[in-house]
Each structure stands twice: as C-alpha cells, then as structure tokens.
Amino acid sequence: SRKKSVVPGPTEHPLQYYYTFWYSRRTPGRPTSSQSYEQNIKQIGTFASVEQFWRFYSHMVCPGDLSGHSDFHLFKEGIKPMWEDDANKNGGKWIIHLRKGLASRCWENLILAMLGEQFMVGEEICGAVVSVRFQEDIISIWNKTASDQATTARIRDTLRRVLNLPPNTVMEYKTHTDSIKDKTSFRNTKITL
Amino acid sequence: GTRIIYDRKFLLDRRNSPLAQ
C-alpha cells in the first residue's frame, strides 16, 4: 500500500495520478552502472494536484537553462526512473532529439499532456524525461509494455499533436531491454517518421 | 472509472492561481 505523503487540497484540481519530480546530473566520462545511476538521482518532490505541480515547476530551472549532462524526470509516484523498475522492465520509450533551444517548450508541453491524461493509453504511461546534453537535448516518454504496438503508436501520434514539432524531427522507439543490453539510453537505429 | 483529463490551456490557466504560489 502506497504511503500518501501528499493529497490534493480541498479546492485544488486533483490529477489522475500522483507524480514525483527527480533530477540527475552526471560527470561526463564516468561509467554508469545502475547502482551509480541510482546514487546520482535525487527526488525533488511529489504532487497530487494541478496547483501543487505548478508550485514545484515554477521554482525549477528550465531545461534550456541547465548546463552539462543533466536530466529532469517526472514519473508516477512509486515508479523509479530506471529501466529495472518493475513498472518499466517490460517497457520502452519514445525518444525525440531536439536541437538546442527547443527543450524548455517541448518539455512543458510533454509533461502537461502527461499530467492532463492526453495520451489515452490507460495505465501505460510511466513517466517522462528531458535530457540536456552538449550538442542537443532529448525528451522521452516511457510506457509499460514495449510489445503493445497499438499503445506505442497512440503515444507517438499524441506526441506529434501536443509537441508541434518541426517536420524533420526524428522519433525513435527503444525498449529498455535494448537499453540494458547496449548500456545506453539513446543511440540506436533511428526510424524516421 | 472516470479519468481526470485536462487540456493544456486549463492547466496553464491554473498556473497563476493563488493556490499554485
């Protein structure tokens, strides 16, 4: 049973799920075992309503203003932003590579779509990540069942609609099993859509 | 059961609510 650390206030607008913000930062060049990854990731906080979300988000640095190798993760409460978590282990993620300058807007649109239940895939969404890197930024959305093609197609189509991406944007789907095998989150065969 | 669905505009309109400060 889940420990309810937060609840929506009486006049606040409740969300379908409770969510937790996480932040991670890595020194480039260091190896990342799943253990050191877990040590590098910090919880920012959990919220249960629209208003509580804004209280966190309004005080957070925009992804576009982060430097180095940093990630914000927003996952349903109880799901760790790790491939190995029970909710993620059979899942995968849609990955979108963004040229510098687009991350803040795209991240906001992505998480608003997730919090507002715009994806319409039942319990399938696990969370979303924005990854700030040197040459580009990457956003991704994780779901539970990588083999469920109807779900992954619906997530892709919703992403296209809510992100309003440039027409040449490359999207790729990667299973966490593949990420565990090749020990990298993003490099993979790209499927241009 | 019923799902709680909010569109982008609804969420953005709550941003400046006193409850969100």
Side-chain angles (χ1 to χ4, degrees):
Chain A
S1 64
R2 183 162 54 79
K3 194 171 46 172
K4 282 198 176 176
S5 48
V6 287
V7 289
T11 56
E12 293 176 359
H13 295 84
L15 294 166
Q16 177 71 36
Y17 297 97
Y18 291 17
Y19 290 86
T20 303
F21 267 121
W22 305 69
Y23 172 72
S24 61
R25 187 177 168 81
R26 181 167 80 83
T27 311
R30 294 264 182 85
T32 43
S33 66
S34 66
Q35 196 186 1
S36 71
Y37 174 79
E38 195 166 11
Q39 285 162 354
N40 270 342
I41 189 160
K42 306 287 177 219
Q43 276 194 43
I44 298 172
T46 298
F47 55 87
S49 71
V50 177
E51 289 79 4
Q52 289 170 6
F53 158 72
W54 286 120
R55 273 181 245 157
F56 278 109
Y57 182 81
S58 301
H59 292 95
M60 288 166 66
V61 177
C62 288
D65 295 331
L66 288 172
S67 62
H69 195 292
S70 312
D71 306 80
F72 281 127
H73 317 250
L74 180 59
F75 275 71
K76 286 178 182 167
E77 189 191 32
I79 303 179
K80 278 187 187 168
M82 300 181 71
W83 305 324
E84 299 85 354
D85 189 279
D86 276 347
N88 297 322
K89 65 185 181 191
N90 297 315
K93 62 180 180 237
W94 278 106
I95 301 166
I96 301 169
H97 296 258
L98 300 169
R99 62 176 165 76
K100 285 289 180 184
L102 296 176
S104 297
R105 177 175 63 83
C106 286
W107 172 239
E108 184 172 295
N109 287 339
L110 174 63
I111 61 178
L112 292 182
M114 183 172 76
L115 299 178
E117 287 291 311
Q118 295 290 315
F119 286 94
M120 305 287 191
V121 288
E123 310 285 305
E124 270 288 322
I125 300 292
C126 296
V129 185
V130 58
S131 303
V132 175
R133 299 295 182 264
F134 294 106
Q135 306 279 336
E136 62 175 3
D137 300 318
I138 297 142
I139 56 171
S140 55
I141 182 152
W142 296 28
N143 74 294
K144 271 185 187 152
T145 319
S147 59
D148 181 347
Q149 290 184 9
T151 288
T152 56
R154 183 171 256 194
I155 295 170
R156 177 200 62 208
D157 294 344
T158 308
L159 282 173
R160 280 183 178 154
R161 178 170 61 82
V162 299
L163 295 182
N164 194 23
L165 293 163
N168 58 346
T169 305
V170 173
M171 296 173 75
E172 55 183 304
Y173 190 83
K174 186 168 186 181
T175 67
H176 300 319
T177 311
D178 283 345
S179 295
I180 289 167
K181 267 188 230 155
D182 64 21
K183 296 186 176 61
T184 178
S185 250
F186 306 125
R187 246 163 291 143
N188 199 6
T189 312
K190 287 181 185 172
I191 308 152
T192 308
L193 298 162
Chain B
T2 322
R3 296 187 85 77
I4 306 170
I5 296 168
Y6 299 122
D7 66 16
R8 182 173 173 273
K9 184 182 181 302
F10 181 90
L11 294 171
L12 287 169
D13 286 348
R14 307 276 87 67
R15 184 172 196 159
N16 295 319
S17 145
L19 293 169
Q21 307 304 307

Short mmCIF file of all heavy atoms in Angstrom, two decimals, chain A residues 11 13-14 16-17 50-51 54-55 57 108-109 112 116-118 120 122-123, chain B residues 2-8 10-21:
data_model
loop_
_atom_site.label_atom_id
_atom_site.label_comp_id
_atom_site.label_asym_id
_atom_site.label_seq_id
_atom_site.Cartn_x
_atom_site.Cartn_y
_atom_site.Cartn_z
N THR A 11 -9.70 22.69 -2.44
CA THR A 11 -10.16 23.47 -3.59
C THR A 11 -9.20 23.36 -4.78
O THR A 11 -9.31 24.10 -5.74
CB THR A 11 -10.33 24.96 -3.22
OG1 THR A 11 -9.09 25.43 -2.68
CG2 THR A 11 -11.42 25.14 -2.18
N HIS A 13 -7.29 21.16 -7.99
CA HIS A 13 -7.74 20.25 -9.05
C HIS A 13 -6.89 18.98 -9.02
O HIS A 13 -5.71 19.05 -9.36
CB HIS A 13 -7.64 20.95 -10.41
CG HIS A 13 -8.57 22.12 -10.51
ND1 HIS A 13 -8.23 23.37 -10.03
CD2 HIS A 13 -9.83 22.20 -10.98
CE1 HIS A 13 -9.26 24.18 -10.21
NE2 HIS A 13 -10.24 23.52 -10.80
N PRO A 14 -7.48 17.87 -8.62
CA PRO A 14 -6.69 16.63 -8.50
C PRO A 14 -6.23 16.11 -9.86
O PRO A 14 -6.90 16.32 -10.87
CB PRO A 14 -7.67 15.64 -7.86
CG PRO A 14 -9.02 16.15 -8.22
CD PRO A 14 -8.91 17.64 -8.31
N GLN A 16 -5.07 12.68 -12.18
CA GLN A 16 -5.42 11.24 -12.24
C GLN A 16 -4.43 10.40 -11.44
O GLN A 16 -4.81 9.41 -10.82
CB GLN A 16 -5.43 10.80 -13.71
CG GLN A 16 -5.70 9.32 -13.92
CD GLN A 16 -7.15 8.96 -13.61
OE1 GLN A 16 -8.07 9.73 -13.87
NE2 GLN A 16 -7.36 7.79 -13.01
N TYR A 17 -3.15 10.79 -11.48
CA TYR A 17 -2.10 10.08 -10.74
C TYR A 17 -1.28 11.08 -9.93
O TYR A 17 -1.24 12.27 -10.27
CB TYR A 17 -1.15 9.35 -11.70
CG TYR A 17 -1.82 8.27 -12.51
CD1 TYR A 17 -2.25 8.54 -13.82
CD2 TYR A 17 -2.03 7.00 -12.00
CE1 TYR A 17 -2.87 7.55 -14.57
CE2 TYR A 17 -2.64 6.00 -12.75
CZ TYR A 17 -3.07 6.29 -14.04
OH TYR A 17 -3.68 5.32 -14.79
N VAL A 50 -3.03 19.87 -9.77
CA VAL A 50 -2.53 20.83 -10.76
C VAL A 50 -1.78 21.96 -10.06
O VAL A 50 -0.67 22.34 -10.45
CB VAL A 50 -3.71 21.41 -11.57
CG1 VAL A 50 -3.23 22.47 -12.55
CG2 VAL A 50 -4.46 20.30 -12.30
N GLU A 51 -2.38 22.46 -8.98
CA GLU A 51 -1.78 23.60 -8.28
C GLU A 51 -0.45 23.21 -7.62
O GLU A 51 0.51 23.98 -7.63
CB GLU A 51 -2.76 24.14 -7.23
CG GLU A 51 -3.97 24.88 -7.82
CD GLU A 51 -5.07 23.94 -8.34
OE1 GLU A 51 -4.95 22.70 -8.19
OE2 GLU A 51 -6.05 24.46 -8.91
N TRP A 54 2.30 23.15 -10.24
CA TRP A 54 2.84 24.48 -10.58
C TRP A 54 3.76 25.01 -9.48
O TRP A 54 4.72 25.71 -9.77
CB TRP A 54 1.72 25.48 -10.87
CG TRP A 54 1.05 25.26 -12.19
CD1 TRP A 54 -0.27 24.97 -12.40
CD2 TRP A 54 1.65 25.31 -13.50
NE1 TRP A 54 -0.51 24.82 -13.75
CE2 TRP A 54 0.64 25.04 -14.44
CE3 TRP A 54 2.95 25.55 -13.96
CZ2 TRP A 54 0.88 25.00 -15.82
CZ3 TRP A 54 3.19 25.52 -15.34
CH2 TRP A 54 2.17 25.25 -16.24
N ARG A 55 3.45 24.68 -8.21
CA ARG A 55 4.31 25.15 -7.12
C ARG A 55 5.73 24.60 -7.28
O ARG A 55 6.70 25.30 -7.02
CB ARG A 55 3.74 24.73 -5.76
CG ARG A 55 2.74 25.73 -5.20
CD ARG A 55 2.24 25.25 -3.84
NE ARG A 55 0.82 24.96 -3.91
CZ ARG A 55 0.17 24.14 -3.08
NH1 ARG A 55 0.83 23.50 -2.13
NH2 ARG A 55 -1.11 23.97 -3.21
N TYR A 57 6.99 23.28 -10.32
CA TYR A 57 7.52 23.58 -11.65
C TYR A 57 7.98 25.04 -11.75
O TYR A 57 9.01 25.32 -12.37
CB TYR A 57 6.43 23.27 -12.68
CG TYR A 57 6.86 23.49 -14.10
CD1 TYR A 57 7.61 22.52 -14.78
CD2 TYR A 57 6.51 24.65 -14.79
CE1 TYR A 57 8.00 22.71 -16.09
CE2 TYR A 57 6.89 24.84 -16.10
CZ TYR A 57 7.65 23.87 -16.74
OH TYR A 57 8.03 24.07 -18.04
N GLU A 108 7.73 21.26 -21.38
CA GLU A 108 6.50 21.73 -20.75
C GLU A 108 5.27 21.13 -21.44
O GLU A 108 4.35 20.64 -20.78
CB GLU A 108 6.44 23.27 -20.77
CG GLU A 108 5.22 23.81 -20.04
CD GLU A 108 5.26 25.32 -19.88
OE1 GLU A 108 6.15 25.81 -19.17
OE2 GLU A 108 4.40 26.01 -20.48
N ASN A 109 5.28 21.15 -22.77
CA ASN A 109 4.14 20.58 -23.49
C ASN A 109 4.00 19.08 -23.24
O ASN A 109 2.88 18.56 -23.11
CB ASN A 109 4.27 20.85 -25.00
CG ASN A 109 3.99 22.31 -25.32
OD1 ASN A 109 3.35 23.02 -24.56
ND2 ASN A 109 4.48 22.77 -26.46
N LEU A 112 2.69 18.57 -19.56
CA LEU A 112 1.28 18.99 -19.42
C LEU A 112 0.36 17.95 -20.07
O LEU A 112 -0.71 17.64 -19.54
CB LEU A 112 1.06 20.37 -20.04
CG LEU A 112 1.73 21.54 -19.30
CD1 LEU A 112 1.40 22.86 -19.98
CD2 LEU A 112 1.36 21.61 -17.83
N GLY A 116 -2.29 15.84 -17.82
CA GLY A 116 -3.69 16.01 -18.22
C GLY A 116 -4.29 14.78 -18.86
O GLY A 116 -5.42 14.82 -19.34
N GLU A 117 -3.55 13.65 -18.89
CA GLU A 117 -4.06 12.38 -19.41
C GLU A 117 -4.45 12.49 -20.89
O GLU A 117 -5.48 11.95 -21.32
CB GLU A 117 -5.27 11.90 -18.59
CG GLU A 117 -4.89 11.37 -17.22
CD GLU A 117 -4.13 10.04 -17.30
OE1 GLU A 117 -4.57 9.14 -18.00
OE2 GLU A 117 -3.06 9.96 -16.67
N GLN A 118 -3.62 13.15 -21.67
CA GLN A 118 -3.92 13.33 -23.09
C GLN A 118 -3.55 12.12 -23.94
O GLN A 118 -3.92 12.03 -25.10
CB GLN A 118 -3.15 14.56 -23.63
CG GLN A 118 -3.59 15.88 -23.02
CD GLN A 118 -4.98 16.29 -23.48
OE1 GLN A 118 -5.30 16.21 -24.65
NE2 GLN A 118 -5.82 16.70 -22.53
N MET A 120 -4.29 8.87 -23.48
CA MET A 120 -5.40 7.92 -23.62
C MET A 120 -4.92 6.48 -23.84
O MET A 120 -5.38 5.79 -24.73
CB MET A 120 -6.29 8.31 -24.81
CG MET A 120 -6.81 9.72 -24.75
SD MET A 120 -8.08 9.84 -23.48
CE MET A 120 -8.76 11.46 -23.83
N GLY A 122 -4.66 4.28 -21.06
CA GLY A 122 -4.92 3.58 -19.79
C GLY A 122 -3.79 3.81 -18.79
O GLY A 122 -3.39 4.94 -18.54
N GLU A 123 -3.29 2.71 -18.25
CA GLU A 123 -2.25 2.78 -17.21
C GLU A 123 -0.85 2.75 -17.81
O GLU A 123 0.12 2.54 -17.08
CB GLU A 123 -2.38 1.57 -16.28
CG GLU A 123 -3.77 1.31 -15.74
CD GLU A 123 -4.14 2.28 -14.65
OE1 GLU A 123 -3.38 2.39 -13.68
OE2 GLU A 123 -5.17 2.95 -14.79
N THR B 2 -13.92 7.01 -14.12
CA THR B 2 -13.71 8.22 -14.91
C THR B 2 -12.26 8.65 -14.82
O THR B 2 -11.64 8.54 -13.76
CB THR B 2 -14.58 9.36 -14.33
OG1 THR B 2 -15.82 8.82 -13.92
CG2 THR B 2 -14.80 10.46 -15.35
N ARG B 3 -11.71 9.11 -15.90
CA ARG B 3 -10.34 9.63 -15.88
C ARG B 3 -10.39 11.15 -15.80
O ARG B 3 -11.30 11.78 -16.34
CB ARG B 3 -9.59 9.20 -17.13
CG ARG B 3 -9.43 7.71 -17.20
CD ARG B 3 -8.54 7.32 -18.35
NE ARG B 3 -7.13 7.36 -18.01
CZ ARG B 3 -6.52 6.41 -17.29
NH1 ARG B 3 -7.18 5.40 -16.83
NH2 ARG B 3 -5.24 6.50 -17.05
N ILE B 4 -9.41 11.69 -15.09
CA ILE B 4 -9.36 13.14 -14.94
C ILE B 4 -8.51 13.70 -16.07
O ILE B 4 -7.29 13.53 -16.07
CB ILE B 4 -8.78 13.52 -13.57
CG1 ILE B 4 -9.55 12.82 -12.45
CG2 ILE B 4 -8.79 15.03 -13.39
CD1 ILE B 4 -8.90 12.96 -11.07
N ILE B 5 -9.16 14.32 -17.03
CA ILE B 5 -8.47 14.81 -18.23
C ILE B 5 -8.48 16.34 -18.22
O ILE B 5 -9.52 16.96 -17.97
CB ILE B 5 -9.16 14.27 -19.50
CG1 ILE B 5 -9.03 12.74 -19.53
CG2 ILE B 5 -8.58 14.89 -20.77
CD1 ILE B 5 -9.91 12.06 -20.56
N TYR B 6 -7.29 16.93 -18.45
CA TYR B 6 -7.19 18.39 -18.55
C TYR B 6 -6.45 18.73 -19.83
O TYR B 6 -5.42 18.11 -20.12
CB TYR B 6 -6.37 18.96 -17.39
CG TYR B 6 -6.91 18.72 -16.00
CD1 TYR B 6 -6.14 18.05 -15.05
CD2 TYR B 6 -8.16 19.20 -15.62
CE1 TYR B 6 -6.61 17.84 -13.75
CE2 TYR B 6 -8.63 18.99 -14.32
CZ TYR B 6 -7.85 18.32 -13.40
OH TYR B 6 -8.31 18.12 -12.13
N ASP B 7 -6.92 19.74 -20.55
CA ASP B 7 -6.15 20.16 -21.71
C ASP B 7 -5.10 21.19 -21.28
O ASP B 7 -5.09 21.67 -20.14
CB ASP B 7 -7.05 20.65 -22.86
CG ASP B 7 -7.80 21.93 -22.52
OD1 ASP B 7 -7.44 22.63 -21.55
OD2 ASP B 7 -8.77 22.23 -23.23
N ARG B 8 -4.20 21.48 -22.21
CA ARG B 8 -3.06 22.35 -21.93
C ARG B 8 -3.51 23.72 -21.40
O ARG B 8 -2.95 24.24 -20.44
CB ARG B 8 -2.25 22.49 -23.23
CG ARG B 8 -1.02 23.32 -23.14
CD ARG B 8 -0.25 23.22 -24.46
NE ARG B 8 0.86 24.13 -24.47
CZ ARG B 8 0.78 25.39 -24.85
NH1 ARG B 8 -0.39 25.88 -25.27
NH2 ARG B 8 1.83 26.17 -24.81
N PHE B 10 -6.29 24.60 -19.86
CA PHE B 10 -6.81 24.52 -18.50
C PHE B 10 -5.67 24.49 -17.49
O PHE B 10 -5.69 25.21 -16.48
CB PHE B 10 -7.70 23.28 -18.33
CG PHE B 10 -8.28 23.15 -16.95
CD1 PHE B 10 -9.51 23.72 -16.64
CD2 PHE B 10 -7.58 22.49 -15.93
CE1 PHE B 10 -10.02 23.63 -15.35
CE2 PHE B 10 -8.09 22.41 -14.64
CZ PHE B 10 -9.32 22.97 -14.36
N LEU B 11 -4.66 23.68 -17.79
CA LEU B 11 -3.52 23.57 -16.86
C LEU B 11 -2.78 24.90 -16.77
O LEU B 11 -2.44 25.37 -15.68
CB LEU B 11 -2.59 22.44 -17.30
CG LEU B 11 -3.19 21.03 -17.21
CD1 LEU B 11 -2.28 20.02 -17.88
CD2 LEU B 11 -3.45 20.65 -15.76
N LEU B 12 -2.53 25.52 -17.92
CA LEU B 12 -1.80 26.80 -17.93
C LEU B 12 -2.58 27.89 -17.20
O LEU B 12 -2.00 28.73 -16.51
CB LEU B 12 -1.51 27.23 -19.37
CG LEU B 12 -0.41 26.43 -20.09
CD1 LEU B 12 -0.41 26.76 -21.58
CD2 LEU B 12 0.96 26.70 -19.47
N ASP B 13 -3.91 27.85 -17.29
CA ASP B 13 -4.74 28.86 -16.61
C ASP B 13 -4.68 28.74 -15.09
O ASP B 13 -4.98 29.69 -14.38
CB ASP B 13 -6.20 28.75 -17.07
CG ASP B 13 -6.42 29.29 -18.47
OD1 ASP B 13 -5.51 29.95 -19.01
OD2 ASP B 13 -7.50 29.04 -19.05
N ARG B 14 -4.30 27.57 -14.58
CA ARG B 14 -4.18 27.39 -13.13
C ARG B 14 -2.83 27.88 -12.59
O ARG B 14 -2.63 27.97 -11.40
CB ARG B 14 -4.33 25.91 -12.72
CG ARG B 14 -5.59 25.23 -13.24
CD ARG B 14 -6.79 25.47 -12.36
NE ARG B 14 -7.54 26.66 -12.66
CZ ARG B 14 -8.23 26.86 -13.78
NH1 ARG B 14 -8.28 25.97 -14.73
NH2 ARG B 14 -8.89 27.98 -13.96
N ARG B 15 -1.92 28.18 -13.50
CA ARG B 15 -0.55 28.50 -13.10
C ARG B 15 -0.46 29.70 -12.16
O ARG B 15 0.35 29.73 -11.24
CB ARG B 15 0.30 28.76 -14.35
CG ARG B 15 1.74 29.00 -14.03
CD ARG B 15 2.59 29.07 -15.29
NE ARG B 15 3.98 28.91 -14.91
CZ ARG B 15 4.95 28.53 -15.73
NH1 ARG B 15 4.70 28.30 -16.99
NH2 ARG B 15 6.17 28.41 -15.30
N ASN B 16 -1.29 30.69 -12.41
CA ASN B 16 -1.20 31.92 -11.60
C ASN B 16 -2.22 31.96 -10.47
O ASN B 16 -2.38 32.99 -9.82
CB ASN B 16 -1.33 33.14 -12.50
CG ASN B 16 -0.16 33.24 -13.46
OD1 ASN B 16 0.99 32.98 -13.08
ND2 ASN B 16 -0.44 33.55 -14.71
N SER B 17 -2.91 30.85 -10.26
CA SER B 17 -3.85 30.79 -9.15
C SER B 17 -3.10 30.98 -7.82
O SER B 17 -1.97 30.50 -7.68
CB SER B 17 -4.55 29.43 -9.18
OG SER B 17 -4.82 28.98 -7.87
N PRO B 18 -3.70 31.67 -6.84
CA PRO B 18 -3.04 31.81 -5.54
C PRO B 18 -2.67 30.46 -4.92
O PRO B 18 -1.67 30.34 -4.21
CB PRO B 18 -4.09 32.52 -4.67
CG PRO B 18 -5.03 33.16 -5.63
CD PRO B 18 -5.01 32.34 -6.88
N LEU B 19 -3.45 29.41 -5.22
CA LEU B 19 -3.15 28.07 -4.69
C LEU B 19 -1.88 27.49 -5.29
O LEU B 19 -1.30 26.55 -4.74
CB LEU B 19 -4.31 27.12 -5.01
CG LEU B 19 -5.64 27.39 -4.32
CD1 LEU B 19 -6.74 26.53 -4.93
CD2 LEU B 19 -5.52 27.11 -2.83
N ALA B 20 -1.46 28.03 -6.42
CA ALA B 20 -0.28 27.48 -7.10
C ALA B 20 1.00 28.24 -6.72
O ALA B 20 2.07 27.94 -7.23
CB ALA B 20 -0.49 27.54 -8.62
N GLN B 21 0.87 29.20 -5.81
CA GLN B 21 2.06 30.01 -5.46
C GLN B 21 2.80 29.40 -4.28
O GLN B 21 2.21 28.77 -3.44
CB GLN B 21 1.66 31.46 -5.10
CG GLN B 21 0.81 32.13 -6.15
CD GLN B 21 1.45 32.13 -7.52
OE1 GLN B 21 2.59 32.56 -7.68
NE2 GLN B 21 0.74 31.64 -8.54
#
